[in-house]
Amino acid sequence: MSIGHTLLGLLESGPRHGYDLKRVFDEKFGHDKPLHYGQVYSTMSRLLKNGLVEVDGVESGEGPERKRYAITDAGVTDVQQWLATPEKPEPYLQSTLYTKVVLALLTGRDARDVMDVQRAEHLRLMRSLTERKRSGELADQLICDHALFHLEADLRWLELATARLGKLARQVTG
């Protein structure tokens, strides 16, 4: 995820302080990985340097001065271009799991054990995500669905690879 573009998009609704940006980001997108304050301020610094945001005001209070940031026209254009650019699908052509299976075969270990452990972990995570989906709001449900569909594809691959394990073992060790 592009944190810079996400923060720019959040600024389109109006100027905000870094603290507010972090709070809204975490509410909308950071359920599993909230932003650190340092990440927000370093990103805002870079966006300011690049002319995508400007300081809309500075407030002093009990703590340090709080800058309020506003998106510039260039920032709006940048967000629009980012939204219009498709994400590159991740084909997972260099899967760590595949590497583990091949290494298990090469070293005389039982690759089925690697696959069984991984299958159990996928199923555990799927149960957890399904529970989270049941109690979540629509945005959380959609995020969980995305992850669940990827996990289902991984499970299909595990079944296919298990069915072909004998042939793979002959090719790898032959």
Side-chain angles (χ1 to χ4, degrees):
M1 172 189 319
S2 169
I3 293 168
H5 286 112
T6 305
L7 294 177
L8 281 173
L10 292 174
L11 284 172
E12 282 201 55
S13 64
R16 295 179 187 262
H17 297 97
Y19 174 82
D20 295 329
L21 285 167
K22 179 196 172 353
R23 183 184 51 77
V24 174
F25 181 98
D26 288 351
E27 284 175 10
K28 301 289 184 194
F29 312 108
H31 296 289
D32 294 322
K33 191 175 179 185
L35 284 179
H36 297 286
Y37 284 105
Q39 202 172 7
V40 172
Y41 292 110
S42 65
T43 301
M44 295 312 296
S45 221
R46 183 176 38 80
L47 295 172
L48 184 63
K49 178 182 164 196
N50 293 336
L52 302 176
V53 298
E54 61 191 9
V55 175
D56 186 55
V58 178
E59 297 174 9
S60 15
E62 296 174 12
E65 290 183 336
R66 292 176 41 167
K67 292 180 184 174
R68 188 174 54 246
Y69 298 95
I71 192 168
T72 63
D73 290 341
V76 171
T77 300
D78 198 55
V79 170
Q80 180 58 37
Q81 289 172 346
W82 179 65
L83 291 173
T85 304
E87 290 297 307
K88 180 182 177 192
E90 295 294 331
Y92 303 109
L93 292 178
Q94 288 298 321
S95 165
T96 303
L97 181 54
Y98 172 77
T99 302
K100 287 182 173 187
V101 168
V102 171
L103 283 176
L105 293 170
L106 287 172
T107 59
R109 292 180 174 90
D110 190 348
R112 289 183 197 283
D113 289 345
V114 173
M115 296 171 126
D116 289 344
V117 167
Q118 191 62 50
R119 185 180 296 105
E121 182 60 17
H122 270 60
L123 292 171
R124 183 202 61 76
L125 182 55
M126 288 177 84
R127 283 189 296 275
S128 173
L129 288 168
T130 301
E131 183 57 36
R132 177 176 162 184
K133 181 179 157 181
R134 276 193 208 115
S135 60
E137 296 177 8
L138 181 58
D140 207 34
Q141 292 171 9
L142 289 170
I143 289 169
C144 288
D145 282 337
H146 186 262
L148 285 164
F149 291 151
H150 282 273
L151 290 168
E152 286 174 13
D154 287 350
L155 284 174
R156 285 196 324 264
W157 179 85
L158 282 165
E159 294 306 316
L160 178 67
T162 300
R164 295 178 175 172
L165 201 52
K167 185 176 181 179
L168 179 61
R170 286 188 297 278
Q171 284 184 359
V172 167
T173 60

